[in-house]
Amino acid sequence: NVSFGQSFSYIVTVTPVKTGGPVPTGQVLISSKNNRILGLTNLVNGKATIVEQIDPFTDQVFSQYQGDSIYAASTSPDITTTVGKFTPPVTLTSTAPYVLPGQQTSLSMVVGGYNNGQYGSVNPTGTVQFFPSVNGGATQAITPALAFQLLQPPMNAGVATRVILPAGTNVVTASYSGSQDFNGVTSAPITILV
């Protein structure tokens, strides 16, 4: 198992049928049961390495030796590969630690994207919802699920909204829904006195 964005390698060794026989040459194809082609590379001294950095998925992966003038093609047993979702950093902020009763305050949540180096960045998608707990009571949503806006740097996304909080000590959190590539996350709480 590896995390989203983490590089990992498939290493394939093709051995001669008889010990001491000629070293196999040719190519190795790595693919999955769901017809995902992960790479094709040449054997060097009977070994091939393919480095991957791919989106989240779980699949049965196998290698196919293509054969050469001496050896026939063959297929390896399956291995399970799991690439997990990325857990983004999140930041919740407010315009002030206290407001007057009935006065609006701004709540902002930023969800960090993933910088995939030369391949660009992956922006979070999904929604954010804000939840206060007043005077130690139960947490209740104060907003509907709100859609993201892209921010700078380009890989980040965020939501800002204005709300009227109930009187008392409000411990506010924001919850990110997650997406195909990102795990859902709840922010650290902030306290706002009304």
Side-chain angles (χ1 to χ4, degrees), residues 71-95:
Y71 299 106
S74 61
T75 301
S76 73
D78 298 345
I79 61 169
T80 300
T81 299
T82 299
V83 178
K85 293 182 179 185
F86 178 65
T87 300
V90 295
T91 306
L92 172 62
T93 58
S94 172
T95 50

Side-chain angles (χ1 to χ4, degrees), residues 23-162:
V23 174
T25 60
Q27 294 184 316
V28 171
L29 174 70
I30 297 182
S31 54
S32 75
K33 292 290 186 184
N34 287 325
N35 298 318
R36 185 175 188 151
I37 303 297
L38 298 170
L40 177 68
T41 191
N42 293 318
L43 287 172
V44 176
N45 297 321
K47 291 188 177 184
T49 301
I50 294 179
V51 178
E52 293 289 344
Q53 186 177 21
I54 54 181
D55 294 340
F57 86 116
T58 295
D59 206 348
Q60 299 298 308
V61 176
F62 58 94
S63 63
Q64 295 173 297
Y65 170 54
Q66 305 297 299
D68 63 14
S69 61
I70 299 171
Y71 299 106
S74 61
T75 301
S76 73
D78 298 345
I79 61 169
T80 300
T81 299
T82 299
V83 178
K85 293 182 179 185
F86 178 65
T87 300
V90 295
T91 306
L92 172 62
T93 58
S94 172
T95 50
Y98 57 89
V99 293
L100 297 173
Q103 184 180 14
Q104 287 188 336
T105 188
S106 290
L107 299 173
S108 299
M109 169 92 156
V110 174
V111 177
Y114 180 78
N115 184 348
N116 210 5
Q118 66 182 1
Y119 304 107
S121 59
V122 180
N123 298 320
T125 57
T127 60
V128 170
Q129 198 165 15
F130 296 90
F131 296 88
S133 167
V134 183
N135 298 326
T139 301
Q140 295 188 11
I142 196 166
T143 65
L146 303 170
F148 279 126
Q149 301 294 320
L150 294 180
L151 303 173
Q152 295 296 326
M155 65 184 186
N156 293 338
V159 171
T161 189
R162 297 186 62 76

